[in-house]
Amino acid sequence: MEMILNENDMVVGASFENGTIQDYVNEERTYGLVRIGEASANWFLFNKEESDDDLQTLYSTIILGEHKIQDDFGEEIVVFNKIGDVSFDDFVKKIDEYLNDEMGNLF
């Protein structure tokens, strides 16, 4: 994965062989976008105890529709608005790889 940096050299996404991932794509900066081939989905990290009100509201809305949540020790990867034939599990796997790579770059 090749990290994408903003003008302040902060990681804001990544590109990989057949896609990209972005941290934030909406004005409120609450969710990101992941693309694998021609498929895409929105995503965000959620922690019931620590997430702000905007994320709490978004989470409450998302769980009413089609979505996938993977709990990683209290922090959840939430994937929604999936378009295309890539599975939710494949999106979660790619997001998890990105998060692990991003954490590795911090150290």
Side-chain angles (χ1 to χ4, degrees):
M1 238 179 233
E2 183 177 328
M3 295 298 157
I4 299 170
L5 306 176
N6 67 10
E7 63 277 355
N8 299 318
D9 290 333
M10 296 181 68
V11 174
V12 294
S15 61
F16 45 91
E17 183 179 332
N18 61 342
T20 60
I21 187 167
Q22 296 170 264
D23 289 344
Y24 302 110
V25 295
N26 66 331
E27 193 171 300
E28 296 81 17
R29 298 181 54 87
T30 50
Y31 62 84
L33 177 73
V34 58
R35 293 183 185 276
I36 301 174
E38 297 297 317
S40 66
N42 293 115
W43 72 280
F44 63 94
L45 296 177
F46 181 78
N47 181 303
K48 189 165 188 71
E49 306 300 319
E50 297 176 11
S51 292
D52 63 22
D53 290 342
D54 287 344
L55 277 181
Q56 297 282 350
T57 301
L58 179 60
Y59 186 86
S60 296
T61 303
I62 295 307
I63 61 173
L64 299 175
E66 186 179 13
H67 66 280
K68 167 77 176 179
I69 297 173
Q70 176 175 304
D71 190 337
D72 285 344
F73 308 106
E75 186 163 60
E76 298 175 345
I77 298 172
V78 181
V79 182
F80 63 105
N81 289 345
K82 183 177 83 70
I83 299 171
D85 59 358
V86 174
S87 72
F88 276 109
D89 288 334
D90 287 342
F91 281 116
V92 167
K93 180 179 175 187
K94 193 54 72 176
I95 294 165
D96 202 32
E97 287 175 21
Y98 166 65
L99 295 173
N100 288 335
D101 280 356
E102 186 177 6
M103 291 305 290
N105 285 334
L106 292 176
F107 300 109

